[in-house]
Amino acid sequence: MTSMRCGFVAVVGRPNVGKSTLVNALMGAKISIVTAKPQTTRHRILAVHTAGDAQIIFVDTPGLHRKAGKAMNRMMNRTAANALADADLVLFVCEANRWTDEDADVLQRLKSTSAPVIAVLNKIDLVHPREKLLEVISATAERYPFEDILPISARKNDNLDTLLALIPSFLPESPQLFPTEMKTDRSPEFQASEIIREKLTLSLHQELPYGLTVQIERYDADEDRTTIHAVIWVERDSQKGIVVGKGGSVLKRIGREARLELKELLGRSVHLELWVKVKDNWADNEKDLMSLGFESP
């Protein structure tokens, strides 16, 4: 009888390198929200992939970044660092067509981990001509003693089957830790708050998405309908007006977009009500952050 392999795979990299897109593509489902803005992922999110004789528990982490000025940024860095410490395997995600000082910073942190590390070169669809990939792979191999280097495109689903087939050999022999049907450790309430925040991030420009968060105040589900009341917290009065929009137009659009996605996710009608409230400087207050669901320091 073939033994089961099960373990934690930390997905790390600088902000906006495609970590959440990769996890969603590997899972074939939307586990983490995705936007083009850095620091969209703020929490440690487990994505559980069970197939055959392996259960791979992907740990989607916030991007490790240099400028950790606010308490929220410091908490996000600690969340990513803790995921590294608990990992059986690390996927170091970087862009195949771009290497930055922030990538080098993340790689420096990996030198303190005892777990094996696979370099995942994402966005190979942006490398032209394709022969340049050989140079990128060679340069990557010189930076760190990776167990393997795998070029992929999360967006195009390119080479992801190879990655999924490679991972189990690095995991310990162990019974599976989660039920086979389970896809994530996050509750429907958390998913609802993240979907609302995703719509806000996609709609609002410049710095505002970093100064807001979403808190679910009521979540009632029955067979036919789910009722959700959510508060959008901003840091200043001036931000409240931007989120609400003229005549409430922005808030209505965000509510409509979030409700439609939640309806599809939950498979039932959704009644969604949104409020915007001000909590001064919440992103730099550890007590506020913990009350809003961020991991404790």
Side-chain angles (χ1 to χ4, degrees), residues 9-12 18-24 31-34 40-47 57-63 79-80 83 93 185-186 194 295:
V9 179
V11 183
V12 303
K19 298 180 295 297
S20 295
T21 301
L22 173 60
V23 170
N24 289 344
I31 305 297
S32 296
I33 62 171
V34 175
T40 298
T41 300
R42 292 178 174 175
H43 304 268
R44 172 184 177 273
I45 299 171
L46 299 188
I57 305 156
F58 293 106
V59 187
D60 191 11
T61 63
T79 296
V93 185
D185 65 327
R186 292 295 185 166
E194 286 286 89
E295 286 187 25

Side-chain angles (χ1 to χ4, degrees), residues 3-6 171-175:
S3 58
M4 189 82 182
R5 288 187 178 269
C6 176
L171 303 182
E173 290 188 5
S174 163

Side-chain angles (χ1 to χ4, degrees), residues 206-224:
Q206 298 169 335
E207 294 301 309
L208 188 54
Y210 308 119
L212 60 80
T213 194
V214 178
Q215 185 177 32
I216 304 298
E217 288 203 326
R218 179 185 169 196
Y219 189 100
D220 293 333
D222 58 36
E223 285 184 20
D224 302 318

